[in-house]
């Protein structure tokens, strides 16, 4: 390891201070570093604008959203992400702010096991022509651009039509993303070591619309159907968006890219569930 990129989330007041401390520690290991400030703006910058390829690993100082941003830049390059949690939940950012120095020492001594996570590939087609493509670690959400207005979707898995759904939106998450928007919409919490896609409707106009768990080796296709409202926006990882129109088809497959995360073991995942969601197994859970 010779060079590191430190990504600081400007929304987190501690990020600059901890970033300075990390810089000094990296210098003691003979590792050069650079800083990138992820500013809180309406639109997240493109990962292509960040010099990920010049580094051997990346340290993120923020919450899970900062990790999602870094993962999209690092995954195609096979670069690991060392995620220090300054957010609220930290299901992905598994390294706590009071233990980063110890974990960084373990990493420098090849004693911190990396956790490899699958990602989703998203392609948008209009009139049989691909007009957009992206990939993400968490999820793809298709939702109405108009608040409290339903949209109609046709959902197909491989060659099997699952049906037409009317809902505020639909989403497909990875196992990693099952603890994000998906669980808020009533989807299951999935062990991050499982290879799965979770399909969940957001406020469906049907009591029978239940979350479904799919083999990610297949293909999910979601088409926008004619309705009184057909203004839809596709959003990947809550950060990359594309406006859709009636007839557009979104094709979701497993990405060839994989995110390499440090300090994000399954033990840390279940500890986050217990502590952040106040699981107690009793009346006060």
């Amino acid at each position: 390891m010779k060079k590191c990129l430190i990504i600081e989330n400007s929304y987190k007041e501690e990020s600059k201070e901890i970033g300075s401390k990390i810089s000094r520690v990296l210098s003691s290991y003979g590792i050069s570093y650079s800083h990138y400030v992820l500013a809180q703006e309406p639109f997240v910058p493109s990962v292509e604008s960040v010099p990920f390829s010049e580094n051997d690993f990346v340290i993120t100082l923020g919450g899970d959203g900062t990790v999602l941003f870094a993962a999209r830049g690092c995954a195609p390059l096979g670069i690991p992400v060392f995620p220090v949690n300054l957010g609220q939940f930290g299901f992905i950012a598994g390294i706590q702010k009071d233990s980063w120095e110890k974990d960084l020492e373990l990493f420098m001594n090849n004693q911190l096991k990396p956790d490899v996570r699958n990602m989703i590939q998203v392609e948008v087609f209009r009139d049989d022509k691909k007009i957009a493509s992206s990939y993400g670690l968490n999820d793809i959400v298709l939702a109405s651009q108009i608040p409290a207005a339903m949209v109609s979707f046709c959902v197909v898995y491989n060659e099997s039509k699952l049906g037409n759904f009317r809902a505020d939106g639909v989403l497909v998450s990875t196992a990693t993303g099952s603890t994000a928007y998906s669980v808020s919409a009533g989807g299951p919490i999935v062990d991050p070591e499982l290879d799965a896609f979770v399909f969940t409707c957001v406020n469906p106009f049907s009591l029978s619309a239940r979350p479904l768990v799919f083999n990610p080796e297949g293909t999910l296709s979601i088409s926008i159907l004619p309705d009184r409202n057909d203004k839809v926006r596709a959003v990947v990882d809550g950060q990359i968006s594309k406006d859709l129109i009636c007839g557009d088809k979104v094709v979701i497959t497993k990405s060839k890219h994989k995110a390499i995360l440090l300090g994000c073991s399954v033990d840390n995942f279940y500890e986050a569930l217990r502590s952040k969601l106040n699981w107690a197994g009793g009346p006060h859970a």
Side-chain angles (χ1 to χ4, degrees), residues 231-246:
K231 297 183 181 299
V232 178
R233 178 167 293 135
V235 184
V236 176
D237 279 353
Q239 298 178 349
I240 303 173
S241 66
K242 175 70 176 178
D243 288 349
L244 308 180
I245 62 175
C246 180

Side-chain angles (χ1 to χ4, degrees), residues 18 24 39 42 44 47 51 78 85 97 108 113 128 132 138 141 147-148 186 197 222 227 232-233 260 274 279-281:
I18 295 177
R24 291 193 290 270
V44 173
V47 294
N85 180 37
K97 61 183 178 182
M108 291 295 102
K113 182 181 178 182
D128 295 325
N138 255 8
V141 178
F197 282 166
I222 304 175
D227 205 329
V232 178
R233 178 167 293 135
I260 304 173
R274 287 192 298 269
W279 279 8

Side-chain angles (χ1 to χ4, degrees), residues 26-72:
L26 290 175
S27 295
S28 70
Y29 285 108
I31 297 174
S32 63
Y33 57 85
S34 59
H35 292 261
Y36 178 84
V37 178
L38 185 62
Q40 292 301 299
E41 299 175 349
F43 300 99
V44 173
S46 166
V47 294
E48 285 77 19
S49 65
V50 182
F52 287 105
S53 61
E54 301 173 9
N55 299 276
D56 298 306
F57 67 105
V58 171
I59 295 175
T60 62
L61 301 173
D64 286 350
T66 312
V67 183
L68 295 175
F69 174 76
R72 289 197 306 277

Side-chain angles (χ1 to χ4, degrees), residues 14-281:
E14 300 168 287
S15 64
K16 185 175 182 180
E17 178 185 354
I18 295 177
S20 296
K21 293 179 180 178
I22 289 176
S23 298
R24 291 193 290 270
V25 173
L26 290 175
S27 295
S28 70
Y29 285 108
I31 297 174
S32 63
Y33 57 85
S34 59
H35 292 261
Y36 178 84
V37 178
L38 185 62
Q40 292 301 299
E41 299 175 349
F43 300 99
V44 173
S46 166
V47 294
E48 285 77 19
S49 65
V50 182
F52 287 105
S53 61
E54 301 173 9
N55 299 276
D56 298 306
F57 67 105
V58 171
I59 295 175
T60 62
L61 301 173
D64 286 350
T66 312
V67 183
L68 295 175
F69 174 76
R72 289 197 306 277
C74 293
L77 304 169
I79 298 173
V81 179
F82 184 95
V84 181
N85 180 37
L86 304 181
Q88 295 180 340
F89 286 98
F91 286 111
I92 310 176
I95 295 173
Q96 302 308 310
K97 61 183 178 182
D98 57 354
S99 65
W100 65 263
E101 192 166 359
K102 178 187 68 175
D103 289 328
L104 186 58
E105 181 182 358
L106 291 173
F107 176 55
M108 291 295 102
N109 292 312
N110 295 316
Q111 295 177 334
L112 193 63
K113 182 181 178 182
D115 192 49
V116 179
R117 302 285 182 91
N118 288 318
M119 305 178 78
I120 56 170
Q121 179 72 40
V122 177
E123 297 176 312
V124 180
F125 293 87
R126 181 174 295 166
D127 298 326
D128 295 325
K129 295 181 180 179
K130 184 163 65 174
I131 61 171
S133 178
S134 185
Y135 52 91
L137 177 57
N138 255 8
D139 52 33
I140 165 72
V141 178
L142 307 179
S144 170
Q145 297 181 34
I146 303 173
M150 289 193 167
V151 183
S152 293
F153 305 91
C154 175
V155 182
V156 176
Y157 178 68
N158 290 336
E159 301 300 323
S160 300
K161 180 178 178 180
L162 303 183
N164 296 342
F165 296 84
R166 292 194 75 225
D168 288 354
V170 295
L171 64 91
V172 179
S173 79
T174 61
T176 297
S178 70
T179 52
Y181 193 179
S182 178
V183 76
S184 298
I189 294 175
V190 181
D191 186 302
E193 289 192 335
L194 290 179
D195 197 8
F197 282 166
V198 179
F199 170 81
T200 308
C201 283
V202 181
N203 296 331
F205 191 63
S206 171
L207 295 176
S208 64
R210 293 290 183 259
L212 295 169
V213 180
F214 291 101
N215 181 347
E217 299 302 329
T219 300
L220 267 169
S221 301
I222 304 175
S223 301
I224 313 301
L225 299 177
D227 205 329
R228 284 175 293 180
N229 171 39
D230 57 8
K231 297 183 181 299
V232 178
R233 178 167 293 135
V235 184
V236 176
D237 279 353
Q239 298 178 349
I240 303 173
S241 66
K242 175 70 176 178
D243 288 349
L244 308 180
I245 62 175
C246 180
D248 285 355
K249 180 166 70 172
V250 180
V251 177
I252 301 150
T253 56
K254 185 165 74 171
S255 174
K256 64 181 180 180
H257 304 310
K258 294 181 184 293
I260 304 173
L261 306 178
L262 298 163
C264 300
S265 67
V266 174
D267 289 342
N268 288 351
F269 171 78
Y270 284 111
E271 175 58 32
L273 288 180
R274 287 192 298 269
S275 61
K276 305 299 184 180
L277 299 185
N278 296 318
W279 279 8

